[in-house]
Amino acid sequence: MKLWQGRFEKELNEEVSDFNSSIAFDHVMFREDIAGSVAHAQMLAMQGIIPPEDGKRIVVGLQGILEDLESGLLAIDPTAEDIHTFVEQVLTERIGEAGKRLHTARSRNDQVATDLRLYLRGRTAALITEVRRLATALVELAEAHVDTVMPGYTHLQVAQPITFAHHLMAYAQMLARDLSRLEDCQNRMNESPLGAGALAGTTHPIDRAMTAAALGFAAPCANSMDAVSDRDFCVELAACTALIMGHLSRLSEEVVLWCSSAYRFIELDDAFATGSSIMPQKKNPDITELVRGKSGRVTGDLVTLLTMLKALPMAYNKDMQEDKPAVFDAVDQTLACLRAVTPMMQTITVHPGNMRQAAAKGFINATDCADYLVKKGMPFRDAYKITGALVARCVKVGGTLEALPLEVFREASEMFGPDVYDAIDLGACVAQRCSEGGPAPTAVRKQIAAYRQKLAI
Ligand code: ARG
């Protein structure tokens, strides 16, 4: 029998009852549901809305339910309507009359909004921990590769020389923004809907500030209708996870390339790669591909939430029950991906020789050659043209800029001198890119130090 069975002459149709139920996915919020009920009961007793002995009985009863759920002594009833009705029903079975007073001045609408904010606050904290772990791993790897020269690409074409450290720090910057977005989202979700009732507050003399403080919220939500119908915090968190997954998918794609036989820049540890059922030689980067795939799934969760909320009238509507599978999945998948990628990155073997070899190809020093002429006084556009012509000549004969004899340089421009070879040397090309935020070891060391300080890692 349903908790709300009062005006109905029939029990809910069995199939519809299953259809209506959310216990299969909202049972994970049992701790938060019980914490919310404890705070509510204590407030009701304090305000004289329920007798103090009943308040005590409710709190003790709820604590017993929590213990029994944690220990497995009490199992979640899969036929219950949701976690809120399940806990209230068990409480009333256990403590009798007093249990029936718990729902005074409360609705499941403010209850579910409260539980969800509390639960996601904890999940956001877990995400923050995992993003920090990955950021730390990347910074540590970067520190070991400040001098490891590799090709930088645009359009996947060799562009200008960089270092592996510089490349990794680009990802660290993305993760730093992810962290600040998560913290921002956590702050905004940290307001208490409890006491908003179904939508229009209550006639009882409740103290919303008291329950908000007891649950660690910064303040009560200001408007009772918004309190029960707002799911912005789910969208914001899903958006944070979709962006984290976007970043992880980019890193994953690069790892796939880097360990392919065409690149051989890195090798995955055996514990983080998989084999083929038919091809004995294979060592596949399955983790990264799965992360790439899951990024689409998490984006889908975000779109589900946005679409579910679009054009919903005030205030609570049952559509909102669909918020939980979507936002829980977004968080669970993102946490799982972060927990796989961090140790995978911590255990890679880097092949600096292959990176350097790849950087020596593709006229990666062409900009430096043009810059050499600019430093001798030539306008950049002229220097660009002259260098382009030299590159074209090399392409024809299959050579490199650094292998051209000095006469050839001087035929192209009188401004070339013997010091051009130092200027277009690969190591020098990187070392000279010491502008703020650039790849030169001096600049990257500064970047790493600032990053470590900012994130306290
Ligand atoms: N299971 C519901 C949800 O997840 C709880 C709130 C139900 N409220 C209601 N008036 N039907 O949204």
Side-chain angles (χ1 to χ4, degrees):
M1 182 126 108
K2 294 282 179 275
L3 210 102
W4 36 259
Q5 212 79 33
R7 60 158 290 175
F8 294 91
E9 287 175 3
K10 288 182 181 172
E11 292 236 354
L12 189 62
N13 168 287
E14 211 175 300
E15 270 178 41
V16 168
S17 178
D18 282 350
F19 176 70
N20 194 48
S21 168
S22 53
I23 192 93
F25 47 86
D26 67 16
H27 71 268
V28 297
M29 305 193 299
F30 72 87
R31 293 182 191 87
E32 290 73 18
D33 190 74
I34 290 172
S37 290
V38 167
H40 183 66
Q42 284 169 335
M43 182 278 293
L44 291 177
M46 184 73 96
Q47 295 296 101
I49 300 168
I50 63 170
E53 323 77 70
D54 282 356
K56 275 189 201 122
R57 273 187 215 115
I58 291 173
V59 171
V60 172
L62 287 169
Q63 278 159 353
I65 294 174
L66 178 62
E67 274 166 34
D68 294 349
L69 282 172
E70 297 273 19
S71 70
L73 213 64
L74 173 64
I76 301 275
D77 173 7
T79 66
E81 186 171 341
D82 54 30
I83 188 61
H84 327 293
T85 46
F86 171 75
V87 171
E88 191 184 328
Q89 210 136 19
V90 175
L91 180 73
T92 307
E93 277 160 25
R94 288 187 175 190
I95 69 167
E97 285 300 297
K100 294 198 228 160
R101 295 193 193 276
L102 171 62
H103 212 54
T104 314
R106 187 177 72 171
S107 156
R108 265 186 305 162
N109 298 349
D110 57 343
Q111 191 179 357
V112 69
T114 304
D115 292 4
L116 193 51
R117 283 179 186 244
L118 287 174
Y119 180 76
L120 292 180
R121 191 174 72 184
R123 299 299 276 165
T124 309
L127 281 165
I128 288 172
T129 303
E130 292 304 331
V131 172
R132 284 184 76 88
R133 265 186 70 214
L134 178 56
T136 308
L138 295 185
V139 169
E140 279 167 4
L141 195 55
E143 257 161 357
H145 289 284
V146 171
D147 296 304
T148 304
V149 174
M150 72 181 281
Y153 300 87
T154 61
H155 315 272
L156 262 189
Q157 304 288 322
V158 168
Q160 291 175 339
I162 54 160
T163 65
F164 192 42
H166 193 51
H167 201 130
L168 291 169
M169 286 307 292
Y171 282 99
Q173 299 296 341
M174 298 176 215
L175 295 176
R177 290 194 295 276
D178 288 329
L179 276 178
S180 98
R181 264 186 290 271
L182 285 168
E183 281 160 4
D184 189 40
C185 167
Q186 200 180 32
N187 284 338
R188 218 178 346 264
M189 82 169 64
N190 203 27
E191 287 187 352
S192 174
L194 200 55
L199 77 162
T202 174
T203 54
H204 296 286
I206 58 169
D207 183 346
R208 292 191 61 207
M210 181 182 166
T211 47
L215 295 169
F217 285 116
C221 298
N223 178 298
S224 65
M225 292 176 74
D226 180 52
V228 293
S229 65
D230 167 39
R231 294 293 184 271
D232 290 2
F233 58 98
C234 299
V235 173
E236 283 188 39
L237 183 56
C240 288
T241 59
L243 205 40
I244 294 170
M245 289 301 297
H247 296 152
L248 293 186
S249 76
R250 295 183 75 176
L251 178 63
S252 294
E253 172 64 12
E254 299 216 275
V255 168
V256 170
L257 289 173
W258 293 341
C259 36
S260 69
S261 48
Y263 285 69
R264 285 271 171 260
F265 286 0
I266 65 168
E267 188 172 338
L268 294 180
D269 189 86
D270 278 1
F272 293 92
T274 49
S276 154
S277 60
I278 176 169
M279 298 169 281
Q281 85 283 12
K282 289 288 250 171
K283 182 169 176 182
N284 294 330
D286 281 27
I287 294 179
T288 51
E289 292 162 25
L290 205 47
V291 170
R292 229 168 38 182
K294 282 179 188 288
S295 70
R297 171 169 168 179
V298 173
T299 300
D301 291 328
L302 170 63
V303 175
T304 297
L305 286 165
L306 286 167
T307 316
M308 180 272 284
L309 287 170
K310 181 189 164 296
L312 272 191
M314 285 284 115
Y316 176 85
N317 296 274
K318 187 78 167 189
D319 314 44
M320 288 176 173
Q321 182 164 287
E322 288 294 312
D323 57 5
K324 284 169 280 301
V327 71
F328 291 177
D329 185 66
V331 172
D332 293 348
Q333 295 304 319
T334 305
L335 279 171
C337 289
L338 286 163
R339 286 175 181 144
V341 168
T342 300
M344 181 192 77
M345 291 306 291
Q346 278 167 331
T347 53
I348 61 167
T349 302
V350 181
H351 297 307
N354 294 348
M355 288 185 177
R356 202 183 171 90
Q357 228 173 9
K361 292 179 194 153
F363 305 101
I364 203 164
N365 49 3
T367 315
D368 303 83
C369 183
D371 281 342
Y372 168 88
L373 292 174
V374 169
K375 283 172 196 157
K376 299 270 171 178
M378 189 183 284
F380 179 75
R381 271 294 153 240
D382 295 338
Y384 175 96
K385 243 192 204 146
I386 289 171
T387 309
L390 286 170
V391 167
R393 186 185 173 122
C394 292
V395 171
K396 237 181 241 158
V397 298
T400 60
L401 283 174
E402 54 275 27
L404 286 176
L406 186 58
E407 311 89 77
V408 175
F409 276 115
R410 289 187 62 82
E411 260 167 47
S413 166
E414 291 280 290
M415 282 185 180
F416 279 116
D419 55 346
V420 65
Y421 296 104
D422 290 337
I424 61 172
D425 167 76
L426 196 53
C429 291
V430 177
Q432 285 164 15
R433 297 179 177 281
C434 55
S435 48
E436 190 178 338
T442 48
V444 174
R445 277 197 195 95
K446 273 189 213 152
Q447 193 194 141
I448 293 175
Y451 191 91
R452 273 193 178 280
Q453 201 183 7
K454 189 171 135 203
L455 295 193
I457 58 174

